[in-house]
Amino acid sequence: MSFLTIEHLEKSFGTNRVVQNFNLTIEKGEFVSLLGPSGCGKTTVLRMVAGFETPSTGRIVIGGKDVVNLRPNQRNIGMVFQAYALFPNLTVADNIGFGLKVAGRPRAERTARVAEMLKLIGLPDLGDRFPFQLSGGQQQRVALARALAPSPQVLLLDEPLSALDAKVRVSLRNEIRAIQKKLGITTIFVTHDQEEALSMSDRVVVMHGGRAEQVGTPFEVYNRPATKFVANFVGMLNTLEADVIDPATGRVRIGGTETSLRRALPAGRVTLAARPEMIALGVQPGRDTILEGKITSVDFLGSVIRIRARVDGSELAFDTFNSTDAPPPAPGSDVRLSLLASDLLLLQDP
Amino acid sequence: MILWPAPGNPGRPIPGGTSLRTNVPKLLSLWAGLLPFLLFCLLFLILPTFKIVTGAFQAPDGTFTLDNIRMMNSGNIPSAFWVSIKISFVSALLGGVAGFAVSAALAFGAVPKALRGAATTFSGVAANFAGVPLAFAFIATLGPVGLVNVMLRSNNMATLQQMGFSIYGFWGLTMAYVFFQLPLMILMILPALDGLKREWREAAAILGASGAQYWRMIALPILTPALLGTFALLFANAFGAVATAMALTGANLNIVPILLFAQIRGDVLGNPHLGYALAFGMIVVTAVANTLYIWLRVRSERWLK
Amino acid sequence: MNLWVRITGWLAFVLAAGYMLVPLFGMTEFSLKARRGVYSLDAYARVIGDTEFQATFGYSVTLALATIVLGVLIVVPTAFWVRLKMPWARPFVEFLTLLPLVIPAIVLVFGYIRLYNTSSFLPLTGSAAGTNLLLALGYTVLALPYMYRAIDTGLRTIDVPTLTEAAQSLGAGWVTILWRIVLPNVMVAVLSGAFLTFAIVIGEYTLAALLDRPAFGPYLQRIGTNKPYEPFALSVISFAITWACMGLIQLATRLSKHTKAQR
């Protein structure tokens, strides 16, 4: 029995259907990300779970109870907002204790819980500060503590990292995940950043045009994208046009090379895709497909070098590790690239 | 208040060197750029006020005395101050509360967005529509032969006067003042209400707070400095108003500005220096109101830089 | 939003609108009743035909224009200088500009009368021309908070130091910079301040009456005590002028947005 169930959720603003037939079940303690570009409906789903928007149709069940007709303050949910949203007139401690205070908990209990929360977020000495005296990362940690202090049954995170700078973002996302695991709290995380979604989540929901395109573990979503959109949106992708010679065995011709995907393919012309890390420079043992091309650009990025090569009319990008004794090839030179045909993804519309 | 660059503040270097010797001429030339403005303020703002203050403590022969201040406690002067303060306070309070309600309705979308532009433009006009014409607007409406009485009479109902209301008295003047206090409140407080972030309200709600708890614990404390400042401004605005009162009540109502006006015109108090004391008293009242405001504001703004 | 909030909001709005609109309606209706039994514009015709109206109104318009010029001359260079050279002095300058909101006008004019009488170091009230100047300067003080705020806000939208350095590198002097660079860039702000000043000055009573100048405000007051319908017509005219000034401020702001969008 799942802990949080969303069934046939729909939301329209006028004639604009921003969420369409959205279904999702979440287990207790699970961390699920809603990933998608802006305007895909992910924030609207989150706001319906929180109670800030009323669904046009559908059910949201938390812990066996339909919450659709409950007001936000009756749902026992914690939420962290994108722009911190700390109360500027309250100290850090009062911010964290706010939920307990409005619930009428005694002062001693509040003080203890606030101290516990401050310790949890690693800011035990900052209780007397006002929000304006904190950095962005600190403010967002306080916002997390404030959301968790009343022990909510679900935690909602609405792009909590997007207002922070890159370094803080990475360290805070690890911290959020660690705290979430420690407390075992069921969490829905909204983001447009696939790296965040992939690195933090138990499962990812990729959304597009108000629908869930795919629901799966980060590994599944990345390696076995269900739709063209998912393949393109999650991770970087090189596309290759191929002619299918034998649909039953998956034999195809890519440019001047023939190879076999060893699975059934539709007949005719198909679009195949390869992640950058599937492609290697030069002929490598164990790789069954060799492509010939010409280097178009070489970008030195530090530990990795991103190389682009033109193969049969399409451009392929791939990375090699930096190495002091193997300088990267020069742009314009001819190269051979190798890959494993069974890794190739078939892109098709749903 | 910063009148001088903070010493050793690297963010604001003084051009031309850091030693004191080079700074003094540099600073003088900086202040020289403000000379016309400072001279203007000195001659037409500071000195006239100063003249009032010193005059209040001088006898006709120029010697120091406290007699003028002492004489303020005689005749109808204390009651004039009391009535003035009451009118200013009540009109600021009524206008403030009503203006706040309207601003809240505009800011939080209780009324359609289209009304907002119209309401702010109208407020701009009405807040500046004071003085004599305003008095006539109220006489035409609530006066003995005004709109309301004509309607009451044609329906064989008791007139406002028979009900004990006089447009020329305390409540008449207060109502006229509310006419410019209300839109002024809207102009001043609407931007502050817009500054309340939607996320604060939502964060409070999701943490379990009711609407009333959100207003009491979050929104009102955040608005307090703006509310206090606007109230002080409304109070001063009504306290110094002359023309509306003159045109509406004439000598009917004993308030400070009218008393001072009559004194300047014709020395009705029989002692020119008592006029100084009266004007000095007005400065003291507005200064106290504003000091109170600044003090309360500092207290309520601990959480700001 | 729940229904109760919506109803309360509407109620507040409608009541306030009524409070503001009924007196304006009453004033207008009354001004049309000069002829017994029918509505007419007789009161307006009589007012506009009155030579004293023409004289006082003309006087106040002239004074308003003089006030605007004085205000611009004093405020623009000051606000510019503070933004450019001494931003740390802004709180002090702002404090000075806000004082007129705190010191009642009647107190100020009392100070003027005692300070600038015929036996003082600057006997402005000794002659009509001097008193006119004093009145214009007094109005400049009354308009100072609005004028300074409008122009300072206008200056905030342009990069004053860069513009100044660019102009200086091309050989411009201070007057050229102010006149050719700063003023055109804050023209909308100046216009906003100017119209507001106009609205304040045109019907002002206290200063004009106590300095005994033949302005529109005192005329209005005098008419009010001895004519039945004309003062109401005059009040409607005053309201229309205030409204026109605010409309012009909006227009100026809108036009500036338009030209900025084209850039």
Side-chain angles (χ1 to χ4, degrees):
Chain A
M1 179 67 199
S2 62
F3 182 65
L4 192 156
T5 309
I6 300 174
E7 277 173 11
H8 306 298
L9 197 65
E10 303 249 350
K11 179 70 183 176
S12 302
F13 293 112
T15 56
N16 185 15
R17 295 174 69 194
V18 288
V19 174
Q20 307 181 30
N21 194 19
F22 185 89
N23 295 284
L24 183 65
T25 57
I26 302 178
E27 299 302 322
K28 196 163 178 63
E30 210 180 359
F31 190 114
V32 174
S33 290
L34 305 185
L35 172 67
S38 61
C40 70
K42 58 188 191 297
T43 297
T44 310
V45 170
L46 195 78
R47 291 176 62 80
M48 285 192 278
V49 176
F52 299 137
E53 308 282 355
T54 311
S56 304
T57 61
R59 293 200 326 144
I60 299 170
V61 180
I62 301 175
K65 191 167 157 200
D66 190 339
V67 297
V68 162
N69 292 318
L70 292 183
R71 286 206 295 271
N73 57 3
Q74 300 166 323
R75 292 193 184 192
N76 190 20
I77 285 177
M79 181 157 172
V80 177
F81 297 81
Q82 183 175 350
Y84 318 141
L86 292 180
F87 305 128
N89 58 319
L90 300 182
T91 61
V92 165
D94 288 344
N95 261 286
I96 296 174
F98 184 86
L100 297 167
K101 188 167 185 187
V102 296
R105 317 302 304 198
R107 175 179 293 272
E109 183 192 330
R110 290 199 322 249
T111 316
R113 181 69 175 161
V114 167
E116 186 188 339
M117 287 286 114
L118 281 169
K119 214 171 133 203
L120 182 72
I121 58 169
L123 304 172
D125 304 321
L126 298 189
D128 295 331
R129 300 269 184 97
F130 282 101
F132 79 89
Q133 294 166 312
L134 304 182
S135 71
Q138 289 172 329
Q139 288 194 45
Q140 205 56 300
R141 271 184 247 184
V142 173
L144 180 67
R146 180 179 68 177
L148 291 172
S151 311
Q153 43 181 351
V154 178
L155 177 65
L156 307 179
L157 305 169
D158 184 9
E159 307 224 15
L161 304 171
S162 61
L164 304 171
D165 50 37
K167 253 204 179 115
V168 183
R169 210 180 302 178
V170 173
S171 71
L172 192 53
R173 84 179 179 213
N174 296 331
E175 207 171 316
I176 290 177
R177 178 60 162 151
I179 290 173
Q180 185 268 337
K181 272 192 172 148
K182 188 169 166 190
L183 302 178
I185 185 167
T186 313
T187 302
I188 306 180
F189 176 79
V190 159
T191 182
H192 63 269
D193 184 322
Q194 39 128 340
E195 197 182 306
E196 281 173 11
L198 295 179
S199 66
M200 295 172 79
S201 317
D202 293 318
R203 279 190 302 149
V204 177
V205 181
V206 184
M207 289 190 67
H208 177 51
R211 294 172 193 280
E213 296 253 330
Q214 186 174 6
V215 183
T217 63
F219 187 85
E220 285 166 351
V221 167
Y222 187 80
N223 291 312
R224 291 196 288 279
T227 66
K228 211 170 191 168
F229 174 82
V230 175
N232 271 307
F233 189 78
V234 182
M236 194 180 155
L237 209 61
N238 298 297
T239 56
L240 291 162
E241 295 298 312
D243 291 308
V244 179
I245 303 166
D246 181 2
T249 60
R251 197 149 186 84
V252 296
R253 184 186 295 116
I254 307 167
T257 313
E258 267 190 34
T259 188
S260 170
L261 272 63
R262 300 201 192 100
R263 54 193 146 111
L265 291 176
R269 204 167 167 79
V270 293
T271 305
L272 301 178
R275 300 282 186 202
E277 65 271 21
M278 295 172 183
I279 302 171
L281 187 62
V283 180
Q284 303 271 342
R287 295 181 182 242
D288 57 6
T289 308
I290 313 294
L291 302 171
E292 301 202 342
K294 198 185 267 289
I295 305 280
T296 52
S297 72
V298 176
D299 294 315
F300 186 71
L301 303 176
S303 67
V304 298
I305 300 162
R306 169 141 299 181
I307 302 173
R308 284 171 215 275
R310 184 157 285 281
V311 176
D312 183 35
S314 40
E315 187 163 79
L316 302 185
F318 59 97
D319 302 331
T320 64
F321 281 109
N322 175 43
S323 160
T324 43
D325 43 44
S333 54
D334 291 319
V335 285
R336 288 206 285 183
L337 310 175
S338 56
L339 50 82
L340 195 62
S342 54
D343 282 346
L344 287 169
L345 308 169
L346 175 68
L347 296 190
Q348 52 194 348
D349 290 312
Chain B
M1 193 181 304
I2 307 160
L3 302 183
W4 214 252
N9 182 347
R12 292 165 182 163
I14 304 154
T18 47
S19 84
L20 197 66
R21 216 177 316 157
T22 51
N23 274 348
V24 171
K26 196 78 210 173
L27 274 170
L28 282 180
S29 78
L30 278 183
W31 284 103
L34 287 190
L35 204 59
F37 171 76
L38 293 176
L39 196 67
F40 169 76
C41 286
L42 184 74
L43 282 177
F44 299 103
L45 194 57
I46 308 297
L47 281 183
T49 312
F50 193 67
K51 177 83 180 167
I52 302 288
V53 176
T54 53
F57 297 95
Q58 278 173 345
D61 60 3
T63 54
F64 176 84
T65 176
L66 285 174
D67 283 352
N68 304 319
I69 307 295
R70 223 168 279 138
M71 279 175 68
M72 295 258 284
N73 200 10
S74 66
N76 54 3
I77 297 177
S79 84
F81 269 96
W82 180 232
V83 174
S84 269
I85 290 171
K86 264 198 302 188
I87 286 191
S88 308
F89 188 87
V90 173
S91 74
L93 197 65
L94 291 178
V97 169
F100 183 83
V102 175
S103 303
L106 291 171
F108 305 130
V111 296
K113 272 231 145 54
L115 283 174
R116 194 186 151 127
T120 48
T121 308
F122 180 84
S123 296
V125 178
N128 287 292
F129 183 68
V132 187
L134 173 61
F136 287 123
F138 272 83
I139 292 171
T141 308
L142 299 173
V145 291
L147 186 69
V148 173
N149 272 346
V150 169
M151 278 166 58
L152 289 174
R153 239 181 250 124
S154 65
N155 290 313
N156 286 322
M157 291 159 75
T159 63
L160 293 172
Q161 280 64 34
Q162 286 159 345
M163 288 187 263
F165 170 83
S166 165
I167 186 68
Y168 305 115
F170 178 90
W171 285 106
L173 191 59
T174 303
M175 285 185 75
Y177 281 5
V178 169
F179 187 92
F180 57 75
Q181 304 279 46
L182 196 163
L184 193 57
M185 180 71 178
I186 294 177
L187 292 180
M188 304 289 293
I189 212 70
L190 196 52
L193 288 179
D194 287 338
L196 289 177
K197 290 190 192 149
R198 188 183 71 173
E199 285 89 350
W200 292 336
R201 177 196 290 266
E202 291 181 348
I206 202 89
L207 287 164
S210 65
Q213 281 173 321
Y214 161 72
W215 273 98
R216 186 167 53 79
M217 298 166 77
I218 308 297
L220 281 177
I222 289 173
L223 288 175
T224 301
L227 287 171
L228 288 173
T230 310
F231 187 80
L233 185 71
L234 296 189
F235 180 87
N237 196 28
F239 193 74
V242 177
T244 311
M246 287 284 289
L248 196 58
T249 69
N252 236 338
L253 200 61
N254 175 35
I255 59 175
V256 186
I258 292 186
L259 201 58
L260 181 58
F261 190 93
Q263 163 67 15
I264 298 171
R265 265 279 171 84
D267 193 13
V268 293
L269 301 171
N271 174 0
H273 280 263
L274 196 48
Y276 284 127
L278 215 52
F280 174 67
M282 288 186 76
I283 298 176
V284 168
V285 170
T286 54
V288 165
N290 278 278
T291 311
L292 207 63
Y293 149 59
I294 290 168
W295 180 67
L296 287 169
R297 180 175 182 141
V298 168
R299 270 175 50 107
S300 64
E301 249 182 8
R302 288 171 301 134
W303 42 274
L304 281 182
K305 259 175 272 193
Chain C
M1 179 171 311
N2 71 45
L3 192 67
W4 190 83
V5 171
R6 203 170 273 268
I7 290 172
T8 321
W10 268 110
L11 200 67
F13 187 84
V14 169
L15 284 178
Y19 192 87
M20 302 304 292
L21 292 176
V22 168
L24 296 176
F25 175 78
M27 163 180 89
T28 313
E29 201 254 1
F30 205 88
S31 74
L32 297 171
K33 291 205 291 200
R35 197 179 296 176
R36 185 168 281 275
V38 289
Y39 286 134
S40 73
L41 292 172
D42 286 6
Y44 292 86
R46 259 180 268 154
V47 160
I48 292 169
D50 184 356
T51 52
E52 212 190 338
F53 164 77
Q54 293 158 6
T56 56
F57 193 72
Y59 178 87
S60 282
V61 169
T62 316
L63 213 60
L65 295 178
T67 304
I68 289 166
V69 172
L70 277 171
V72 171
L73 284 179
I74 289 169
V75 171
V76 172
T78 305
F80 165 74
W81 190 256
V82 169
R83 284 234 165 237
L84 181 66
K85 296 278 186 179
M86 39 204 308
W88 42 267
R90 242 184 87 205
F92 166 69
V93 173
E94 259 178 8
F95 174 75
L96 277 179
T97 64
L98 289 176
L99 274 182
L101 293 181
V102 180
I103 302 171
I106 189 168
V107 173
L108 272 183
V109 71
F110 187 32
Y112 292 172
I113 293 169
R114 292 304 162 99
L115 201 55
Y116 301 118
N117 59 29
T118 44
S119 57
S120 80
F121 67 100
L122 197 64
L124 284 173
T125 57
S127 65
T131 316
N132 289 340
L133 179 65
L134 184 59
L135 186 54
L137 286 161
Y139 285 161
T140 310
V141 171
L142 294 192
L144 192 61
Y146 309 99
M147 203 60 158
Y148 191 89
R149 215 173 116 171
I151 289 173
D152 195 51
T153 311
L155 282 174
R156 188 164 46 194
T157 60
I158 62 172
D159 186 355
V160 173
T162 310
L163 277 181
T164 309
E165 279 166 19
Q168 279 176 326
S169 74
L170 295 169
W174 289 119
V175 176
T176 316
I177 291 173
L178 280 171
W179 181 249
R180 304 277 300 271
I181 311 287
V182 175
L183 196 61
N185 271 300
V186 295
M187 207 54 204
V188 175
V190 169
L191 284 176
S192 299
F195 290 129
L196 201 58
T197 305
F198 193 91
I200 293 168
V201 171
I202 201 74
E204 203 283 335
Y205 172 73
T206 313
L207 262 66
L210 288 174
L211 289 174
D212 206 15
R213 300 315 299 153
F216 186 56
Y219 166 74
L220 202 56
Q221 163 82 6
R222 205 161 348 106
I223 288 289
T225 53
N226 52 27
K227 291 271 174 56
Y229 297 102
E230 285 83 339
F232 299 96
L234 281 169
S235 298
V236 173
I237 293 173
S238 299
F239 186 77
I241 293 168
T242 314
W243 187 272
C245 287
M246 296 302 138
L248 287 170
I249 292 175
Q250 295 249 316
L251 192 68
T253 318
R254 209 162 295 163
L255 283 179
S256 82
K257 274 183 194 145
H258 184 63
T259 50
K260 278 200 181 122
Q262 281 178 339
R263 250 177 245 160

